[in-house]
Coordinates of all heavy atoms in Angstrom, one line a residue:
Y293 N -2.2 1.1 -2.2 CA -1.3 1.9 -2.9 C 0.1 1.9 -2.2 O 0.1 1.9 -1.0 CB -1.8 3.4 -2.9 CG -3.1 3.6 -3.7 CD1 -4.3 3.4 -3.1 CD2 -3.0 3.9 -5.0 CE1 -5.5 3.5 -3.8 CE2 -4.2 4.1 -5.8 CZ -5.4 3.9 -5.1 OH -6.6 4.1 -5.9
A294 N 1.1 1.9 -3.0 CA 2.5 2.1 -2.6 C 2.8 3.5 -3.0 O 2.9 3.9 -4.2 CB 3.4 1.1 -3.2
L295 N 3.0 4.4 -2.0 CA 3.2 5.8 -2.2 C 4.7 6.2 -1.9 O 5.2 5.8 -0.9 CB 2.3 6.7 -1.4 CG 0.8 6.4 -1.6 CD1 0.0 7.4 -0.7 CD2 0.4 6.6 -3.0
S296 N 5.2 7.1 -2.7 CA 6.5 7.7 -2.4 C 6.5 8.6 -1.2 O 5.6 9.4 -1.1 CB 7.0 8.4 -3.6 OG 8.2 9.2 -3.3
M297 N 7.5 8.5 -0.3 CA 7.5 9.3 0.8 C 8.2 10.7 0.5 O 8.2 11.6 1.3 CB 8.3 8.7 2.0 CG 7.6 7.4 2.5 SD 8.4 6.8 4.0 CE 7.9 8.0 5.2
Q298 N 8.6 10.8 -0.8 CA 9.2 12.0 -1.2 C 8.2 13.0 -1.7 O 8.2 14.2 -1.4 CB 10.3 11.8 -2.3 CG 11.4 10.9 -1.9 CD 12.3 11.6 -0.8 OE1 12.5 12.8 -0.9 NE2 12.8 10.9 0.2
N299 N 7.2 12.5 -2.5 CA 6.3 13.4 -3.2 C 4.9 12.8 -3.2 O 4.0 13.4 -3.9 CB 6.7 13.8 -4.6 CG 7.0 12.6 -5.4 OD1 6.5 11.5 -5.2 ND2 7.9 12.8 -6.4
G300 N 4.6 11.7 -2.6 CA 3.3 11.1 -2.6 C 2.9 10.4 -3.9 O 1.7 10.0 -4.1
S301 N 3.8 10.3 -4.9 CA 3.4 9.7 -6.2 C 3.2 8.2 -6.0 O 3.7 7.6 -5.0 CB 4.5 9.9 -7.2 OG 5.8 9.4 -6.8
V302 N 2.4 7.6 -6.9 CA 2.0 6.2 -6.7 C 3.0 5.4 -7.5 O 3.3 5.5 -8.7 CB 0.6 6.0 -7.3 CG1 0.3 4.5 -7.2 CG2 -0.4 6.8 -6.5
Y303 N 3.7 4.4 -6.8 CA 4.5 3.5 -7.4 C 3.7 2.4 -8.1 O 3.8 2.1 -9.2 CB 5.5 2.8 -6.4 CG 6.6 3.8 -5.9 CD1 6.8 3.9 -4.6 CD2 7.4 4.4 -6.8 CE1 7.8 4.8 -4.1 CE2 8.4 5.3 -6.4 CZ 8.6 5.5 -5.0 OH 9.6 6.3 -4.6
W304 N 2.8 1.8 -7.3 CA 1.9 0.8 -7.8 C 0.6 0.7 -7.0 O 0.5 1.3 -5.9 CB 2.5 -0.6 -7.8 CG 3.1 -1.2 -6.5 CD1 4.4 -1.3 -6.2 CD2 2.4 -1.7 -5.4 NE1 4.5 -1.8 -4.9 CE2 3.3 -2.0 -4.4 CE3 1.0 -1.8 -5.1 CZ2 2.9 -2.6 -3.1 CZ3 0.6 -2.3 -3.8 CH2 1.6 -2.7 -2.9
K305 N -0.4 0.2 -7.7 CA -1.7 0.0 -7.1 C -2.1 -1.5 -7.3 O -2.2 -2.0 -8.4 CB -2.8 0.9 -7.7 CG -4.2 0.7 -7.1 CD -5.2 1.5 -7.7 CE -5.7 1.0 -9.0 NZ -6.9 1.7 -9.5
A306 N -2.4 -2.2 -6.2 CA -2.8 -3.6 -6.2 C -4.3 -3.6 -5.7 O -4.6 -3.0 -4.7 CB -1.9 -4.4 -5.3
T307 N -5.1 -4.3 -6.5 CA -6.5 -4.5 -6.2 C -6.8 -5.9 -5.7 O -6.7 -6.8 -6.5 CB -7.4 -4.1 -7.4 OG1 -7.1 -2.8 -7.8 CG2 -8.9 -4.2 -7.0
L308 N -7.2 -6.1 -4.5 CA -7.6 -7.4 -4.0 C -9.1 -7.5 -4.1 O -9.8 -6.5 -4.1 CB -7.2 -7.5 -2.5 CG -5.7 -7.7 -2.2 CD1 -5.5 -7.8 -0.7 CD2 -5.2 -8.9 -2.8
K309 N -9.6 -8.7 -4.2 CA -11.0 -9.0 -4.3 C -11.7 -9.0 -3.0 O -12.6 -9.9 -2.8 CB -11.2 -10.3 -5.1 CG -10.7 -10.3 -6.5 CD -10.9 -11.6 -7.2 CE -10.4 -11.6 -8.6 NZ -10.6 -12.9 -9.3
T310 N -11.3 -8.2 -2.1 CA -12.0 -8.1 -0.8 C -11.6 -6.8 -0.1 O -10.6 -6.3 -0.4 CB -11.5 -9.3 0.1 OG1 -12.1 -9.2 1.4 CG2 -10.0 -9.4 0.3
Q311 N -12.4 -6.4 0.8 CA -12.0 -5.3 1.7 C -11.0 -5.8 2.7 O -10.9 -7.0 2.9 CB -13.2 -4.6 2.3 CG -14.0 -3.7 1.4 CD -14.9 -2.7 2.2 OE1 -15.3 -3.0 3.3 NE2 -15.2 -1.6 1.6
L312 N -10.4 -4.9 3.4 CA -9.5 -5.2 4.5 C -10.0 -4.8 5.8 O -11.0 -4.1 5.9 CB -8.1 -4.5 4.3 CG -7.5 -4.7 2.9 CD1 -6.1 -4.0 2.9 CD2 -7.3 -6.2 2.6
T313 N -9.4 -5.3 6.9 CA -9.8 -5.0 8.2 C -8.9 -3.9 8.8 O -9.2 -3.5 10.0 CB -9.8 -6.2 9.1 OG1 -8.5 -6.8 9.2 CG2 -10.7 -7.3 8.6
I314 N -7.9 -3.4 8.1 CA -7.1 -2.4 8.5 C -6.8 -1.4 7.4 O -7.1 -1.7 6.2 CB -5.7 -2.9 9.1 CG1 -5.0 -3.7 7.9 CG2 -5.9 -3.7 10.3 CD1 -3.6 -4.0 8.3
S315 N -6.4 -0.2 7.7 CA -6.1 0.8 6.6 C -4.6 0.9 6.4 O -4.1 1.2 5.3 CB -6.6 2.2 7.0 OG -8.0 2.1 7.2
K316 N -3.8 0.7 7.4 CA -2.3 0.9 7.3 C -1.6 -0.5 7.2 O -1.9 -1.4 8.0 CB -1.8 1.6 8.6 CG -0.3 1.7 8.7 CD 0.1 2.4 10.0 CE 1.6 2.4 10.2 NZ 1.9 3.0 11.5
L317 N -0.7 -0.6 6.2 CA 0.0 -1.8 6.0 C 1.5 -1.5 6.3 O 2.1 -0.6 5.7 CB -0.2 -2.4 4.6 CG -1.6 -2.9 4.3 CD1 -2.4 -1.8 3.7 CD2 -1.5 -4.1 3.4
V318 N 2.1 -2.3 7.2 CA 3.5 -2.0 7.6 C 4.4 -3.0 6.9 O 4.2 -4.2 7.0 CB 3.6 -2.2 9.1 CG1 5.1 -1.9 9.6 CG2 2.7 -1.2 9.9
P319 N 5.4 -2.5 6.1 CA 6.3 -3.4 5.4 C 7.2 -4.1 6.4 O 7.7 -3.5 7.4 CB 7.0 -2.5 4.5 CG 7.0 -1.1 5.1 CD 5.7 -1.1 5.8
Y320 N 7.5 -5.3 6.1 CA 8.5 -6.1 7.0 C 9.1 -7.2 6.1 O 8.4 -8.0 5.4 CB 7.7 -6.8 8.1 CG 8.6 -7.5 9.1 CD1 9.3 -6.8 10.1 CD2 8.8 -8.9 9.0 CE1 10.2 -7.5 10.9 CE2 9.6 -9.6 9.8 CZ 10.3 -8.9 10.8 OH 11.2 -9.6 11.7
Q321 N 10.4 -7.1 6.0 CA 11.2 -8.1 5.2 C 10.7 -8.2 3.8 O 10.6 -9.2 3.2 CB 11.2 -9.4 5.9 CG 12.0 -9.5 7.2 CD 12.1 -10.9 7.8 OE1 11.7 -11.9 7.1 NE2 12.7 -11.0 8.9

C-alpha cells in the first residue's frame, strides 16, 4: 500500500505474487 501521510488514505495497492521478507519499503529516487 501507498498511504498518504496526511490522513492515511490509500493512493494505490499493488499485489505481488509472492510474500516479502520485509514489511517496510523505503522510497528512493
Side-chain angles (χ1 to χ4, degrees):
Y293 295 87
L295 304 180
S296 167
M297 296 188 73
Q298 298 296 323
N299 55 23
S301 61
V302 177
Y303 289 128
W304 53 254
K305 180 182 80 171
T307 301
L308 289 178
K309 296 180 179 179
T310 176
Q311 282 197 335
L312 306 183
T313 60
I314 59 173
S315 299
K316 174 183 174 181
L317 292 92
V318 180
Y320 183 81
Q321 293 186 3

